[in-house]
Amino acid sequence: MGDLANSAVDFYPKSQRRELDHAGGLGCTVPELRGLMELRGAEALQKIRDGYTDVSGLCRRLTTSPTEGLSDNAADLEKRRQIYGQNFIPPKQPKTFLQLVWEALQDVTLIILEIAAIISLGLSFYAPPGEGSEACGNLAAGAEDEGEAEAGWIEGAAILLSVVCVVLVTAFNDWSKEKQFRGLQSRIEQEQKFAVVRNGQQIQIPVAELVVGDIAQIKYGDLLPADGVLIQGNDLKIDESSLTGESDHVRKSVEKDPMLLSGTHVMEGSGRMVVTAVGVNSQTGIIFTLLGASGEEEEKKDKKAKKQDGAVAMEMQPLKSAEGGEMEDREKKKTSVSKKEKSVLQGKLTKLAVQIGKAGLVMSAITVIILVLYFVIQTFVLDGRVWLAECTPVYVQYFVKFFIIGVTVLVVAVPEGLPLAVTISLAYSVKKMMKDNNLVRHLDACETMGNATAICSDKTGTLTTNRMAVVQAYLGDTHYRETPAPSSLAPRILDLLVHAIAINSAYTTKILPPEKDGGLPRQVGNKTECALLGFLRDLHRDYQPVRDQLPEEKLYKVYTFNSVRKSMSTVTRLPQGGFRVFSKGASEILLKKCSNILSSSGEVRSFRPRDRDEMVKKVIEPMACEGLRTICLAFRDFAAGPEPNWENENDIVGELTCIAVVGIEDPVRPEVPEAICKCQKAGITVRMVTGDNINTARAIAAKCGILQPGEDFLCLEGKDFNRRIRNEKGEIEQERLDKIWPKLRVLARSSPTDKHTLVKGIIDSTIGEQRQVVAVTGDGTNDGPALKKADVGFAMGIAGTDVAKEASDIILTDDNFSSIVRAVLWGRNVYDSISKFLQFQLTVNVVAVAVAFTGACITQDSPLKAVQMLWVNLIMDTFASLALATEPPTEALLLRKPYGRDKPLVSRTMMKNIVGHGVYQLGIIFTLLFAGEIFFDIDSGRNAPLHAPPSEHYTIIFNTFVLMQLFNEVNARKIHGERNVFRGVSGNPIFCAIVLGTFAIQIVIVQFGGKPFSCSPLDAEQWLWCLFVGVGELVWGQLIATIPTSHLKCLKEAGHGPGKDEITDEEMAEDEEEIDHAERELRRGQILWFRGLNRIQTQIRVVKAFRSSLYEGLEKPDSKTSIHNFMATPEFLLNDYTHNIPLIDDTDAEESEAARRPPSPPPTPNKNNNAIDSGVYLATDEGSKSPASASPLHSMETSL
């Protein structure tokens, strides 16, 4: 990324005029290549023929070789970068610090404060003429002290100064967050590598280093990083929907359509292409420049996007941002609707903040009204004064003072530190999670992970080491338990085996010598194929000579592996004419296509279904029971003569001759059983979803500890699973799914759709007390839908394809299951950190508001001045959030169950602490306020005139208040009623530094703050008393801990998660207009009322319709909430939320049939179904044969 600055020159059209002259050295100019890449299909082929005769001609013009690639000559590569640009799209300029400051200033509370401060300043400089006159009463008394009158401006200036502080802190936070994400982004970009051929060697280079003329190797699952023309391809299919909106996969071949575009996904096959356009000249780059060039529009779009996306969403790829075209509007809508609901924590926090804000507003309004009334009644009624024109400024000055006090109450009540605490906590966790091999792409995923109740994990590579080895083989009628000696095998069998393995596997798969002496040979490419190649080495045979003799471009046809075929086949020409097909794949699938088998002498003999069943029983099942993956290798010869129809794959791959069946082992990772045990203790169910056969899967699951002996569990195959969850019409029913998923532990031979179905089914289920939070791991392109649907999607950093990474929230950089457990730990820690901060913040809020309010009402002046309040706000918001949000996690977090969506943020124990400490602090402060002057023998600070100097009395109150908060911050470190609040404090240097730092600043403010902070210096004895009261907080905390929470039934919890109704409320249908989050919060109440009424009306209407037996006329609405719709849509567009009209069974329609009606409402899967109370029973028994019962009530939307 270092050379971006220099490369900026090459990105803009101006420099393209120069490039034409530059291209002198190479045969093609940029516009020429750009023009070529804009064509498709026949037009493109024609253009290549006209301009270059064929693709090889194009390679010659670009001075590159289709087989050897470019030379690694630095000067040549640099020249290419000069002419054709770099493969890099310049990112949008980050916001400057000033822009962030401006954004921070938009905060409503701060604006109110600024206005109040400016008015206060203005009035302090205005000396009213009637100031001295008796007529205005003794209101101005106390201002006679020389120099005091001039100090009136200080309060306004101090408020402004503290506003500046708050703004700078917020802006700096945003700026560092932005910087962190850019760093993360560039790290992702640098890590993204692509395979190219240089000097005849295949090497991996960072995507940004690709140049025009490079020969790139492409394979299933890649996201193409540049535009290119196909040189050689096997069964290549590309998903171009991101550029063209075309949802069907496009077949690419050298003869028909060789044009490959950046930003598109390889869905099947493999091949090689010559790179023709990179960076801003590629098709994606062009679209991106169109999108990004119009700066202002981009800004507007940005703001819109900001509103939609609370967390900072990071894009994954350098080129990804351009996924535009016709898809864009749809995508935009999708991001707002179909990406998960607000994260659990966000939902609870927004709700809590709104509640607190409303309470604060009410309190501040009451404060101002009481102060104004008191003043007016005192002055004009009791003292009987008349409002004189010259006294107006004096009175206005009083009103401004009251207004400032009111605003101060509001400022203290509104917890603007909450978003700050969440941000700091998440950013800190994300940074630390990087060390634990979790690369977080979406901030809120980190916190959602703490609430996970289920993990659906892949087997290969996640639970196992992904280092395969052949450990058993069935060759020539013999079952070998270890690698056989080559001499014991017939030469023909050995020869066929070597060819079948060497040729019928990707040529990119290789076994390389170990990096360190004594290490294991390196496996490059597909791990299963590596195991087979390793098997050849164990047989003392080498695959390389066979490949050299038959290079990849000479292969006649390749049917590459995909999730439907579950096999791979390669067709080669035989020297004496005719063809030979080699095939390999899952043994139970391929054996069905075998009609012959090789005997021990290497002769072909027939292989009947009866033989096959015996082989399954005696060879395949025993292997699978030991946790081995079985692969069958077979071949078929076609005689010379008319060519068979290669498109008819079923005929080609049929009547095969079985060469061997091998058992491949992938050992369980040593740390996985312990990690799974931790998950189970933490209340998380781990399920294995794999494409392997059921016996292998069951064996591995038992080794991992997913299956415990004596437990009641289910292990199903994909087919069986589908049969159980679908009705006669083949539609998936949530009720059927609900009977299966709670016990399901292993789903074997599953397709990607099954995985998605399971995840969606668990998420949509309503049978538990709370909605399940599901995490999913995936590595293949086909896992995209499940990763997107899950609450948290984990993609594999090493084995994962770009498509999987794109759909995920967190990338596991070491592909290890135990890293997921670390993510759970950090997620729970974030949640606890926020709760700690809340406990602290709410105590301060309650006390400060109560003090300001009562003080103002009784003494017409808040004992805590505006500037002091702002300092308290700064401690409790910024510093406390830093201190409490950076607590490191402890293993103890994994010993409790997940909180779930409905558990309140502020638990009863926390409420007990908040109220308990609030009582202590208020008691102390009111004692000091009304009796402090007697106790300390000082002048009373109550009823001081307008510009009176600061009193010792009020300084002591302020100091005591701050010290109590400091010691309470230590108490807030524990939220589950633990006694030892100091445990682990030494492990958090940030916390210690902040507490000591705040204390030091407090001393400076009190001793030297003077007029601006309304402080008068205190002596040592007064300081000791303040400290003594502060330390009392810790003792009081121990007292509170002894009161059992169970006895305090009166305490309410706060900050519940959104109710089931509200969750579905978030999943608004696409066509509903999008409402800005804040607005949605305010409208949420009304929406719920109207929606509730609407539903009752709808249900009554439906019942009436049934009663009048007109239900035949009612068409059954298409339930789009069902999962099977995904089957019909090949893309990953999973917005299947549409509101349904609830259908009520007609069993309760006929009044006359009251006798048949059950005496009590039947149990319904919808726990919160208030419709029951209105006498509308939702019958759910499957037996009922009503027309409506075909549409099961499985969507929460239908419940009221």
Side-chain angles (χ1 to χ4, degrees), residues 39-49 255-258:
L39 305 174
R40 303 276 175 282
E43 286 180 345
L45 280 169
Q46 194 52 47
K47 174 93 188 231
I48 291 174
R49 282 197 197 102
E255 302 78 47
K256 295 212 175 85
D257 181 2

Side-chain angles (χ1 to χ4, degrees), residues 1027-1038:
L1027 261 176
F1028 171 73
V1029 173
V1031 176
E1033 265 289 354
L1034 296 175
V1035 183
W1036 185 255
Q1038 294 300 315

Side-chain angles (χ1 to χ4, degrees), residues 1101-1151:
R1101 237 181 274 138
V1102 175
V1103 174
K1104 276 185 183 156
F1106 280 136
R1107 285 205 177 125
S1108 56
S1109 74
L1110 283 173
Y1111 61 78
E1112 302 91 327
L1114 268 184
E1115 279 189 23
K1116 176 168 154 281
D1118 210 9
S1119 157
K1120 286 216 184 112
T1121 332
S1122 62
I1123 302 157
H1124 58 265
N1125 269 32
F1126 170 69
M1127 305 273 290
T1129 321
E1131 287 183 69
F1132 301 169
L1133 300 179
L1134 304 176
N1135 327 23
D1136 38 17
Y1137 309 122
T1138 50
H1139 301 313
N1140 313 6
I1141 301 170
L1143 283 175
I1144 287 123
D1145 248 348
D1146 61 356
T1147 34
D1148 46 308
E1150 305 293 328
E1151 293 239 87

Side-chain angles (χ1 to χ4, degrees), residues 742-759:
K743 287 185 182 176
L744 185 69
R745 291 292 175 275
V746 175
L747 184 57
R749 281 277 174 254
S750 63
S751 68
T753 319
D754 295 338
K755 193 175 193 174
H756 176 264
T757 303
L758 177 66
V759 172

Side-chain angles (χ1 to χ4, degrees), residues 329-345:
D329 304 330
R330 218 157 58 188
E331 286 289 329
K332 263 213 183 112
K333 251 185 203 162
K334 229 169 62 180
T335 42
S336 61
V337 183
S338 76
K339 185 64 185 161
K340 299 116 210 185
E341 315 136 22
K342 251 198 227 158
S343 81
V344 186
L345 187 65

Side-chain angles (χ1 to χ4, degrees), residues 42 270 298 502 511 731 739 913 915 920 955 960 1039 1096 1173 1181:
S270 60
E298 189 73 345
I511 300 241
E731 292 168 351
K739 289 180 187 153
N913 291 340
V915 172
Y920 173 81
T955 307
T960 312
L1039 276 175
I1096 291 176
D1173 309 336
D1181 55 317

Side-chain angles (χ1 to χ4, degrees), residues 428 826 829 833 836 883-889 973-974 984 988 991:
Y428 171 76
W826 277 107
N829 192 50
S833 298
K836 288 171 189 175
L884 292 168
T886 52
E887 288 273 329
R973 291 186 65 244
K974 301 291 177 222
N988 189 357
F991 182 86

Side-chain angles (χ1 to χ4, degrees), residues 539-761:
L539 289 168
H540 310 303
R541 293 289 180 273
D542 192 0
Y543 61 86
Q544 202 51 53
V546 181
R547 287 185 173 178
D548 295 343
Q549 193 186 338
L550 194 75
E552 194 169 8
E553 48 276 10
K554 289 207 181 147
L555 298 178
Y556 194 75
K557 178 153 183 69
V558 180
Y559 302 96
T560 50
F561 180 88
N562 66 25
S563 53
V564 180
R565 287 191 186 119
K566 294 244 193 277
S567 68
M568 171 182 180
S569 307
T570 304
V571 184
T572 61
R573 272 185 194 277
L574 292 171
Q576 66 275 23
F579 299 92
R580 176 169 285 172
V581 179
F582 287 114
S583 205
K584 72 164 189 287
S587 54
E588 54 264 55
I589 291 171
L590 218 54
L591 279 178
K592 286 180 185 155
K593 299 181 177 177
C594 288
S595 55
N596 299 301
I597 190 165
L598 293 181
S599 67
S600 52
S601 60
E603 297 305 313
V604 174
R605 65 175 170 80
S606 72
F607 183 64
R608 299 182 300 281
R610 194 174 66 231
D611 303 331
R612 183 173 66 234
D613 296 341
E614 191 177 344
M615 187 158 167
V616 168
K617 263 199 202 75
K618 293 200 171 154
V619 180
I620 292 171
E621 281 183 3
M623 281 186 187
C625 290
E626 290 173 42
L628 304 187
R629 187 169 176 187
T630 54
I631 300 282
C632 174
L633 301 161
F635 77 102
R636 178 185 181 183
D637 286 342
F638 288 92
E643 268 196 43
N645 174 10
W646 298 116
E647 294 307 312
N648 189 346
E649 191 188 326
N650 284 345
D651 285 357
I652 304 293
V653 186
E655 298 189 15
L656 301 169
T657 303
C658 172
I659 304 170
V661 173
V662 292
I664 297 180
E665 181 180 48
D666 185 5
V668 171
R669 284 178 183 264
E671 62 280 6
V672 162
E674 189 198 352
I676 285 180
C677 179
K678 279 184 185 166
C679 282
Q680 287 160 344
K681 279 188 189 147
I684 301 169
T685 311
V686 182
R687 294 182 175 83
M688 181 202 285
V689 184
T690 176
D692 235 332
N693 83 35
I694 191 147
N695 295 333
T696 313
R698 197 187 275 124
I700 300 273
K703 283 181 191 167
C704 293
I706 292 176
L707 302 181
Q708 300 286 355
E711 216 184 34
D712 180 21
F713 56 76
L714 276 176
C715 294
L716 294 179
E717 280 197 338
K719 279 202 297 251
D720 196 21
F721 173 69
N722 274 303
R723 204 185 65 245
R724 292 192 186 200
I725 60 169
R726 293 176 188 274
N727 58 19
E728 305 73 53
K729 294 182 186 166
E731 292 168 351
I732 290 167
E733 291 190 359
Q734 186 68 39
E735 284 167 44
R736 293 179 180 226
L737 236 169
D738 286 346
K739 289 180 187 153
I740 288 175
W741 71 257
K743 287 185 182 176
L744 185 69
R745 291 292 175 275
V746 175
L747 184 57
R749 281 277 174 254
S750 63
S751 68
T753 319
D754 295 338
K755 193 175 193 174
H756 176 264
T757 303
L758 177 66
V759 172
K760 187 177 187 330

